Amino acid sequence: MKQTGSEYIADFLESKNIDTIFTVAGDHILHIMDILSKRGFKFIDTRHEQAAVDMANAWGRIKQKPGITMFTTPGHANAIPGLTLAHQQLSPIINITGCADSKLLGMGAAQEIDQVGMAKPVTKRSEIILNGNQIVSNLEASYQISLSGRRGPTHLTIPTNLQSQSYDKNDMSFQSRINGSSVINPDFSHQKIIEYLKKSSNPIIILGNGAHDVLSDEIINLVETLNIPILTEMSARGIIPDSHYLCFGLSDQRANPIARVISESDLVILLGKELDFTLDFGNHPVISKSSYIIQVDPDEQILSRSKRADLSILSSVGNFVSQIVRNLNYYKDYKKSPDILKSLEIESQNHHSSLEKYRNDIESIHSMDIHFALNKMLDEKSCMVFEGSDFAFYGASYYPANERDRWFVNGVLGMIGWGVPFGIGAKVALPDEEVIVFTGDGASGFNLMEIDTAVRNNVNVKIIIGCDSVWGIDYHQQVQFFDNPVATNLNFVNYENIAKATGAYGDLIEKKSELNSKLSKFLAHKGPGILNIKTNPSPSPLTQYIMDNKEY
């Protein structure tokens, strides 16, 4: 039996239960799009390729399978920023782009650029398929690589002639795969870990971005059995809920002051967490000079650059946790009564008290006024996207993460412009759950026209803009260090009118007394919308930390 390359692509995606494509249409992918459309695939057609990748980023993380993007050649160039963010966030994506006929490549073919080379630094795998009989095996390799170890995006260029040409099934290269990442290694040794636990009185665990395969029940069992407190990094938020008595929220001490108690620990256990600048590479005072560090990670490169770690274990984090849990009888005699728990509880109370101080009767709006009002209207299943702005980082410091893959923040790259499309992708993956994007007037400007994408595709995402008329995080630093804000002032803009122009809901809030009624109306609206809220500039906990610790 013969069928076209595009039909083999459709077969493959169907076999993985992937039914959604994020795209901007273009000449070099028209054949694939036609076949997929006739096979019932859902297309989310966006206004910019970066936005499409950001949507696939959210969809892939929530669905625990690669999000799929498809672009033409120049569109691929626009997609690179999205792939960069996905690479940093460890998000599984397969980015498929077309190109000119393979026989013409290297001769100045139409729109010819080095697509593979452009994508290589920001993907786990970047390849061009030049033999149509290898379409399926390349898709399988990209699928597995995007999900293995530290997850991430992959890229495939598929020339137009390979899409439309027919191939005999008997000649097509297939690969049958079994994912063995959760298989328990019977030779696993516990003795070295126990030796460090014996030495420790105040251990703490940080569950990091590389811990996507950890089972919630298992990590809860582990920390409860040993009575060890835990913090969670961006992509691990909600694997153990913040409401758990041993979980103290976000591990990034810049945005979560509670995490600064790490300095009191004498044993830091990093589970899928890089020993990077957020931990000052393991240096004092972030981590005590006398503290031991155990690091578990599926990526040897991550382990090899951690010069401060005392014990490095190359393993899937989920596999590691499973092995500990299955052998808890070895560990139960080392249950702790750590003093650090008391410190974490005190700092948690102090942090929440520091946010509560913003409650007042003044009619002008502080970012926290919005979060105080909104918190009463949302439930634990609400999905929240916090995009780099003081308004959003006040929220990230306030709202708990009690559900897996429902709490998202920039990550250490600090890229902005992703929040609005990411929220749309999250809502596509979670059609029955509330999805709220918290963004600023600076960050939202990159991709705010994607509200049109939400309208056209009936995606009921809610976007809240904290409009303080400055590029806040940088503005406050310029004022403090130089008394000279340069290129960080913005005009007030009626962003809600952009929503109205596209057929979405739009509203403006300028007074605190309007918050409750207008937020309720906004959330009750059955469709996408933008709520533009005029706020006073105020440095968030993240910004304040930067200003307190940076020197010029």
Side-chain angles (χ1 to χ4, degrees):
M1 182 190 77
K2 284 191 173 185
Q3 59 181 16
T4 64
S6 295
E7 288 171 311
Y8 281 108
I9 294 169
D11 288 345
F12 175 83
L13 295 176
E14 287 174 348
S15 74
K16 303 298 185 183
N17 294 314
I18 296 173
D19 60 2
T20 303
I21 312 294
F22 299 91
T23 190
V24 176
D27 182 57
H28 292 149
I29 54 168
L30 296 182
H31 192 274
I32 302 178
M33 294 181 70
D34 179 65
I35 295 299
L36 294 179
S37 174
K38 290 172 180 176
R39 296 274 284 264
F41 283 79
K42 179 179 182 178
F43 282 89
I44 304 295
D45 52 318
T46 71
R47 301 297 298 266
H48 194 281
E49 290 84 359
Q50 176 195 352
V53 179
D54 291 334
M55 293 179 200
N57 180 337
W59 190 95
R61 286 175 67 177
I62 291 168
K63 292 289 191 179
Q64 300 292 316
K65 60 181 73 174
I68 306 298
T69 59
M70 289 186 181
F71 309 120
T72 189
T73 298
H76 174 69
N78 286 338
I80 297 300
L83 292 173
T84 302
L85 180 68
H87 188 255
Q88 183 272 325
Q89 290 186 331
L90 310 187
S91 300
I93 289 173
I94 302 176
N95 172 47
I96 298 172
T97 59
C99 72
D101 188 309
S102 60
K103 297 185 294 295
L104 303 178
L105 296 179
M107 300 169 61
Q111 299 180 333
E112 184 176 357
I113 55 175
D114 183 7
Q115 295 171 214
V116 171
M118 292 170 67
K120 195 175 287 291
V122 292
T123 57
K124 294 183 68 180
R125 180 179 192 259
S126 182
E127 301 286 346
I128 182 171
I129 304 176
L130 297 175
N131 181 341
N133 289 320
Q134 296 174 1
I135 288 175
V136 176
S137 59
N138 269 282
L139 285 167
E140 184 69 54
S142 292
Y143 181 91
Q144 297 296 340
I145 288 170
S146 71
L147 291 174
S148 66
R150 284 182 159 253
R151 300 181 304 181
T154 60
H155 166 71
L156 282 175
T157 292
I158 307 178
T160 53
N161 57 314
L162 271 65
Q163 300 169 32
S164 57
Q165 187 172 325
S166 294
Y167 304 93
D168 193 300
K169 186 174 183 179
N170 293 325
D171 296 327
M172 183 62 63
S173 172
F174 293 93
Q175 292 182 336
S176 296
R177 298 288 188 89
I178 296 175
N179 190 337
S181 62
S182 62
V183 175
I184 302 302
N185 177 1
D187 298 323
F188 184 83
S189 173
H190 302 271
Q191 191 55 45
K192 284 189 175 181
I193 298 169
I194 289 173
E195 287 174 8
Y196 284 103
L197 283 172
K198 283 181 181 179
K199 301 174 186 177
S200 170
S201 300
N202 287 296
I204 193 167
I205 293 172
I206 302 178
L207 199 63
N209 291 335
H212 63 88
D213 57 348
V214 170
L215 301 178
S216 295
D217 290 347
E218 290 190 338
I219 191 65
I220 290 172
N221 191 358
L222 189 156
V223 299
E224 287 182 352
T225 300
L226 297 177
N227 200 37
I228 298 178
I230 187 169
L231 297 158
T232 54
E233 196 178 18
M234 291 80 171
S235 298
R237 301 287 283 130
I239 293 179
I240 179 170
D242 286 350
S243 58
H244 191 279
Y245 67 94
L246 288 170
C247 186
F248 290 88
L250 182 66
S251 65
D252 190 340
Q253 61 182 311
R254 300 173 303 160
N256 178 23
I258 306 165
R260 295 167 200 171
V261 176
I262 292 170
S263 63
E264 297 181 21
S265 173
D266 57 6
L267 175 61
V268 179
I269 303 173
L270 305 177
L271 301 182
K273 166 65 184 149
E274 288 191 62
L275 197 54
D276 60 7
F277 78 97
T278 64
L279 294 172
D280 196 21
F281 313 102
N283 293 320
H284 179 80
V286 175
I287 295 178
S288 169
K289 291 179 180 178
S290 59
S291 179
Y292 296 104
I293 298 175
I294 296 175
Q295 186 176 22
V296 181
D297 204 275
D299 189 331
E300 175 58 40
Q301 286 190 330
I302 298 299
L303 296 176
S304 64
R305 67 191 190 203
S306 298
K307 308 306 181 187
R308 173 72 171 78
D310 297 282
L311 175 62
S312 300
I313 300 172
L314 181 63
S315 172
S316 148
V317 181
N319 184 17
F320 174 83
V321 172
S322 292
Q323 294 191 52
I324 298 293
V325 169
R326 293 191 184 195
N327 293 275
L328 276 175
N329 56 306
Y330 291 125
Y331 293 87
K332 60 185 178 181
D333 292 337
Y334 305 102
K335 185 172 184 177
K336 302 297 178 178
S337 298
D339 293 334
I340 196 175
L341 261 179
K342 187 65 175 177
S343 296
L344 287 162
E345 290 164 359
I346 291 171
E347 286 305 314
S348 180
Q349 294 168 4
N350 290 341
H351 173 57
H352 289 100
S353 295
S354 73
L355 296 178
E356 287 291 327
K357 74 181 182 183
Y358 293 108
R359 291 187 190 271
N360 58 55
D361 297 325
I362 301 171
E363 270 289 80
S364 62
I365 301 171
H366 186 277
S367 292
M368 283 308 304
D369 292 320
I370 304 164
H371 299 307
F372 290 144
L374 189 62
N375 188 47
K376 296 179 288 188
M377 304 177 189
L378 303 177
D379 60 38
E380 289 190 348
K381 287 188 176 295
S382 297
C383 177
M384 291 178 283
V385 179
F386 305 96
E387 178 176 25
S389 62
D390 281 313
F391 167 58
F393 275 108
Y394 269 113
S397 294
Y398 179 64
Y399 297 99
N402 288 324
E403 292 282 331
R404 186 177 196 138
D405 296 316
R406 298 295 185 276
W407 193 105
F408 301 98
V409 73
N410 297 50
V412 295
L413 181 62
M415 179 177 280
I416 55 177
W418 61 277
V420 171
F422 193 99
I424 294 170
K427 185 62 179 178
V428 172
L430 301 168
D432 300 322
E433 298 181 25
E434 192 78 76
V435 177
I436 309 288
V437 177
F438 300 95
T439 185
D441 46 345
S444 64
F446 286 81
N447 279 305
L448 197 57
M449 271 307 296
E450 295 303 329
I451 189 67
D452 171 67
T453 300
V455 170
R456 287 183 291 103
N457 290 279
N458 195 29
V459 181
N460 182 16
V461 65
K462 298 295 193 289
I463 300 159
I464 302 178
I465 300 174
C467 190
D468 61 4
S469 298
V470 293
W471 292 94
I473 295 175
D474 296 305
Y475 168 85
H476 293 296
Q477 292 182 70
Q478 289 180 329
V479 170
Q480 173 165 311
F481 295 115
F482 312 114
D483 193 26
N484 182 29
V486 180
T488 50
N489 284 290
L490 295 167
N491 291 334
F492 175 79
V493 176
N494 291 101
Y495 296 105
E496 74 281 1
N497 289 338
I498 296 174
K500 293 176 183 178
T502 64
Y505 181 95
D507 202 357
L508 171 67
I509 299 178
E510 296 183 277
K511 296 185 294 185
K512 189 185 298 184
S513 57
E514 299 175 320
L515 279 171
N516 286 329
S517 61
K518 289 197 171 186
L519 279 168
S520 295
K521 186 178 178 182
F522 178 61
L523 294 178
H525 178 71
K526 303 298 183 183
I530 293 173
L531 191 59
N532 188 24
I533 306 180
K534 192 171 185 178
T535 61
N536 298 324
S538 175
S540 65
L542 171 69
T543 304
Q544 192 61 55
Y545 177 86
I546 293 171
M547 293 193 297
D548 289 344
N549 289 274
K550 183 179 282 189
E551 296 180 358
Y552 281 96

